[in-house]
Amino acid sequence: MLKYIVRRVLQMIPVFIGVTIILFILRAPGVLPGDPVRMITGERAISEQLRAQIIEKHALDQPLHRQYALYVSNLLRGDLGESYQRGRPVLDIFAEKFPNTLRLALAGILVEIVLGVTAGIISAVRQYSFSDVLVTLSTSVLVSVPVFWLGMLFQIFFGIKLKEWTGGAFYLPISQMSSADFPDWVHLILPAITLASVSTAYVARIMRSQMLEAMGQDYIRTAEAKGLTRRAVTFRHALKNALIPVVTFIGIDFGVMMSGAILTETVFSWPGVGREIFLAVGQRDWPIVMGGVIIIVFLVMIINLIVDLSYAVLDPRIRYGGGAE
Amino acid sequence: MTSLLEVNGLTTHFTTRDGIVKAVDGVSFRLDSGKTLAVVGESGSGKSVTALSIMRLVQEPQGKTVAGEVLFKGTDVLKMNEREVRDLRGDRVAMIFQDPMTSLNPVFKVGRQIGESLMLHKGMSRKQSFERAVELLDMVGIPHPRERAGDYPHQFSGGMRQRAMIAMALACDPDILIADEPTTALDVTIQAQILELMMEIQERTGTAIIMITHDLGVVADMADDVMVMYAGKQVEYGSADEVFYRPRHPYTWGLLDSLPRHDIDEKGALQPITGQPPSLIDVPSGCSFHPRCRYAQPVCSAEVPPLAEVSDRHCAACLFAADPEFVRGAPLPVAAGEGGAR
């Protein structure tokens, strides 16, 4: 088990190298438009002296591989550099935004688990019933609706059309909602549902198909032959088997959500990691883009590792590092 | 005297897109305590569905037992409510299935799965049921039962899993044990061990056994009564001696002929029954075996042969079963002790 974890952690190294190299190629002169000095100073005319200073400070005159080496050595010391635009350490900026992203991700996962798993189970247990058809139909619609569009629809409908009815709870963009008119969690509702929409639909579908598959297995008949109730057979014998792939999907999805839901956060002006990266790309604020992506890659890999390890807990047939037999 | 189990005219249909499948068509038999009934037939002859119908485990709504009665100690199982049937299942009537690889739940420990019915029917605590599971595993011949009870099914070999299945079925000391091809998925040496184990257990506990198999050899040593099924119907039913030594139905002859024999013509090829079992949606008219029967007469396609008594405790569903001239065509009897668990 420990050997497995060490191996997985070592595997992260080449991924890091690959990701940082790709990002460095993107920022090489001529690949994407935009002069970094201009991005730092804005439209103001600046003296040659200042320009030279800025270039030196950010090592922009060095060849690309030098810049890369410098960046990596800083990275290893935990220094992600400074934002061009704000002159603040990248790490500080993300430390500030991350809790918002985490809150949204947790809310999204909650929606996904509660709605997705429940809908999937109901639709499997009552196959071909009205609720099953409803679940199948609505999941088909949900997976095909773009997230940003759904978010906008929600805003128009709940924020503007139903403004009176909801007391304006969903009216203002979240970032401007500093007043204590509503408890904090109210602002989470629409973004969380939007963020979770597609994956909730997937969870419901995976849950349904896994449940149906499990219900058709021989061991279900064995359980029935023991005289167990329908409920015990479904929720004890079938569910535990059916949940394995669902948990994996949700785990990986949590990693994705933590890495900042760029579309959802942008549409709802949610001050999280994703929106920060989105803005930084527009401003060619490379330290933020690079730092953000590296943090995300790191998080996703850690979460994937945790998901893989959780397999072993759920499915006794899987034991890492050669356990049984 | 009421029998332990008496089945009369059991009929189970499945509704499919292509029509109604008459999987079990008017099957009747009886079983007394401590006795073994072998149900023999090709794949798709309705053996397993018969067993599932007795336990009321046929998957509804596609499958439904539409007629007949299943009298367990005089009470009709088919008329019981859900609760009463559940109380019967696993407690009074237990079942073991063909494929031990897939019949155990992969995510629960073996001991827990065995103990489950004890907690359910005998009101044992988890700890008590685990202790009993260890005893049961020991009884079915699993070494180091205490450690093995904490293992998962994938840590067991095929033969051990079937032993665990037997332990599971025996947990509540059932009156009837239904074994649906318990040895088919196992290799030959293990088959013999499992059959021996079942006989041993029967001797010790007095459980009645319904043994479903497509292999007549398997049951030669074990069965008191034999029921031969073809296309959902009983074609021959009687004491094992009668069916093995004085078979009356050409289908039974075919089954006996297709057994490998050591006593005659060792190098001779087996004589298989030609053709395929019929589709149960579109069963042949008259005797459903007539298209494959070597002795078929024109009348066989017109008249449905009733299951008629041909001698004491021996019935056959062939129009000519009572004709001594005809019966002379039967194959040589299987020597006692032959076949069996080979």
Side-chain angles (χ1 to χ4, degrees):
Chain A
M1 184 74 155
L2 191 70
K3 239 168 102 185
Y4 177 80
I5 296 175
V6 170
R7 202 170 68 223
R8 284 289 299 265
V9 171
L10 288 179
Q11 279 170 1
M12 291 181 186
I13 295 170
V15 177
F16 265 111
I17 295 173
V19 167
T20 44
I21 287 179
I22 290 171
L23 286 168
F24 255 83
I25 291 172
L26 283 178
R27 67 176 277 193
V31 175
L32 288 175
D35 169 17
V37 182
R38 265 287 168 71
M39 293 298 162
I40 296 165
T41 58
E43 295 302 314
R44 275 174 301 158
I46 50 165
S47 64
E48 276 307 307
Q49 200 191 351
L50 183 59
R51 190 180 169 81
Q53 251 178 26
I54 291 170
I55 286 178
E56 216 208 305
K57 185 183 172 205
H58 294 283
L60 293 172
D61 55 340
Q62 303 281 328
L64 213 55
H65 65 272
R66 275 284 170 69
Q67 290 187 35
Y68 181 71
L70 189 68
Y71 187 82
V72 171
S73 76
N74 284 338
L75 180 65
L76 291 177
R77 275 182 272 120
D79 179 7
L80 288 172
E82 251 176 39
S83 160
Y84 289 166
Q85 291 282 318
R86 270 165 268 181
R88 289 178 58 205
V90 171
L91 215 52
D92 288 2
I93 293 174
F94 280 116
E96 197 176 277
K97 304 290 179 190
F98 187 70
N100 292 329
T101 293
L102 183 66
R103 246 190 314 153
L104 182 57
L106 286 173
I109 284 295
L110 194 70
V111 171
E112 194 174 321
I113 293 173
V114 173
L115 293 184
V117 172
T118 315
I121 293 175
I122 290 174
S123 109
V125 172
R126 306 198 189 291
Q127 200 187 359
Y128 305 132
S129 68
F130 175 73
S131 5
D132 182 24
V133 174
L134 193 71
V135 168
T136 315
L137 214 67
S138 54
T139 52
S140 309
V141 173
L142 271 185
V143 290
S144 29
V145 171
V147 167
F148 59 87
W149 190 64
L150 184 69
M152 288 173 188
L153 282 188
F154 276 165
Q155 289 173 1
I156 293 171
F157 189 70
F158 292 103
I160 296 170
K161 299 273 186 217
L162 293 183
K163 188 181 172 189
E164 299 304 314
W165 187 68
T166 57
F170 306 114
Y171 179 60
L172 286 171
I174 275 85
S175 51
Q176 291 169 34
M177 186 76 99
S178 52
S179 73
D181 293 343
F182 299 99
D184 275 354
W185 60 266
V186 172
H187 311 313
L188 268 169
I189 298 174
L190 290 186
I193 293 175
T194 307
L195 176 62
S197 62
V198 174
S199 18
T200 302
Y202 275 120
V203 166
R205 297 190 138 205
I206 301 171
M207 192 71 231
R208 177 180 187 271
S209 65
Q210 288 298 323
M211 201 67 187
L212 286 176
E213 199 194 310
M215 295 296 285
Q217 296 293 318
D218 287 352
Y219 54 75
I220 295 301
R221 202 180 44 188
T222 309
E224 282 180 333
K226 277 183 200 170
L228 292 173
T229 58
R230 195 78 216 154
R231 176 179 289 267
V233 172
T234 309
F235 289 98
R236 207 179 304 156
H237 284 265
L239 189 60
K240 198 174 173 199
N241 281 281
L243 269 178
I244 296 168
V246 177
V247 169
T248 314
F249 180 85
I250 292 176
I252 291 171
D253 201 46
F254 185 55
V256 174
M257 286 186 180
M258 289 255 277
S259 59
I262 294 187
L263 291 176
T264 307
E265 289 189 357
T266 305
V267 169
F268 284 96
S269 299
W270 187 267
V273 172
R275 184 161 174 272
E276 194 62 33
I277 294 174
F278 171 77
L279 295 175
V281 169
Q283 296 163 345
R284 302 282 183 274
D285 197 338
W286 281 107
I288 292 194
V289 177
M290 302 230 0
V293 171
I294 285 168
I295 290 171
I296 288 171
V297 168
F298 185 70
L299 276 176
V300 169
M301 286 198 294
I302 295 287
I303 288 172
N304 282 0
L305 177 60
I306 294 172
V307 169
D308 284 352
L309 294 177
S310 75
Y311 265 149
V313 178
L314 285 166
D315 190 342
R317 284 164 295 186
I318 297 170
R319 288 279 184 266
Y320 296 112
E325 277 187 296
Chain B
M1 192 194 95
T2 46
S3 297
L4 179 61
L5 183 72
E6 192 177 331
V7 173
N8 293 318
L10 185 69
T11 306
T12 299
H13 290 176
F14 285 85
T15 315
T16 69
R17 220 175 302 165
D18 302 319
I20 288 174
V21 175
K22 294 170 185 153
V24 178
D25 196 358
V27 166
S28 306
F29 61 86
R30 49 187 291 174
L31 180 68
D32 290 313
S33 296
K35 299 289 183 195
T36 300
L37 168 73
V39 182
V40 187
E42 283 167 291
S43 310
S45 57
K47 301 167 301 205
S48 298
V49 181
T50 303
L52 292 174
S53 303
I54 293 169
M55 302 265 295
R56 286 235 325 242
L57 283 174
V58 175
Q59 280 300 316
E60 293 194 29
Q62 301 94 320
K64 200 165 169 35
T65 300
V66 292
E69 47 181 20
V70 176
L71 302 173
F72 176 77
K73 294 181 175 169
T75 317
D76 192 350
V77 176
L78 300 180
K79 292 205 179 80
M80 287 181 177
N81 64 32
E82 258 316 300
R83 220 206 121 78
E84 289 167 324
V85 178
R86 280 204 309 268
D87 287 345
L88 204 71
R89 284 183 199 146
D91 187 34
R92 298 330 320 143
V93 185
M95 190 156 179
I96 54 183
F97 297 96
Q98 180 170 345
D99 193 349
M101 296 297 176
T102 55
S103 296
L104 289 163
N105 194 328
V107 299
F108 292 111
K109 289 176 178 162
V110 173
R112 161 95 200 277
Q113 294 191 55
I114 296 173
E116 203 172 13
S117 40
L118 290 164
M119 291 196 274
L120 181 74
H121 296 296
K122 304 290 181 212
M124 286 189 185
S125 69
R126 186 170 285 228
K127 202 166 173 322
Q128 286 171 317
S129 75
F130 185 84
E131 289 304 317
R132 178 77 185 124
V134 171
E135 286 172 30
L136 285 159
L137 284 174
D138 190 35
M139 184 174 96
V140 296
I142 291 199
H144 312 296
R146 186 161 296 277
E147 291 87 75
R148 301 307 300 223
D151 279 350
Y152 288 96
H154 71 277
Q155 291 163 296
F156 276 45
S157 68
M160 279 176 35
R161 284 187 216 188
Q162 198 59 296
R163 283 172 192 267
M165 282 295 293
I166 294 173
M168 193 186 294
L170 292 172
C172 296
D173 206 0
D175 295 314
I176 302 175
L177 177 64
I178 303 179
D180 187 357
E181 309 221 16
T183 58
T184 306
L186 305 172
D187 61 51
V188 185
T189 48
I190 311 291
Q191 285 187 10
Q193 291 174 14
I194 295 291
L195 292 175
E196 226 160 84
L197 173 68
M198 291 182 65
M199 284 193 273
E200 214 182 282
I201 281 164
Q202 182 173 42
E203 222 160 88
R204 204 178 325 165
T205 62
T207 307
I209 295 179
I210 299 180
M211 180 73 143
I212 295 170
T213 178
H214 59 257
D215 186 351
L216 268 181
V218 163
V219 296
D221 287 337
M222 215 181 152
D224 297 294
D225 290 330
V226 176
M227 175 166 91
V228 181
M229 288 187 73
Y230 185 78
K233 288 199 179 79
Q234 255 168 306
V235 293
E236 188 152 10
Y237 173 49
S239 69
D241 283 349
E242 280 285 327
V243 174
F244 274 103
Y245 297 113
R246 284 173 288 282
R248 298 297 186 103
H249 198 284
Y251 178 64
T252 315
W253 301 349
L255 288 179
L256 290 167
D257 269 340
S258 47
L259 274 182
R261 302 274 292 262
H262 306 288
D263 51 341
I264 45 164
D265 198 39
E266 282 209 26
K267 292 201 177 72
L270 302 177
Q271 288 185 38
I273 304 172
T274 53
Q276 294 294 318
S279 143
L280 292 175
I281 292 172
D282 197 10
V283 185
S285 62
C287 169
S288 33
F289 186 59
H290 84 264
R292 300 172 74 189
C293 182
R294 251 186 289 174
Y295 313 94
Q297 302 292 318
V299 64
C300 293
S301 59
E303 221 173 291
V304 180
L307 188 71
E309 195 155 82
V310 289
S311 66
D312 184 36
R313 298 198 54 224
H314 189 179
C315 313
C318 175
L319 292 172
F320 304 100
D323 181 351
E325 202 52 33
F326 178 70
V327 173
R328 216 164 286 153
L332 289 172
V334 183
E338 168 89 32
R342 288 182 310 273

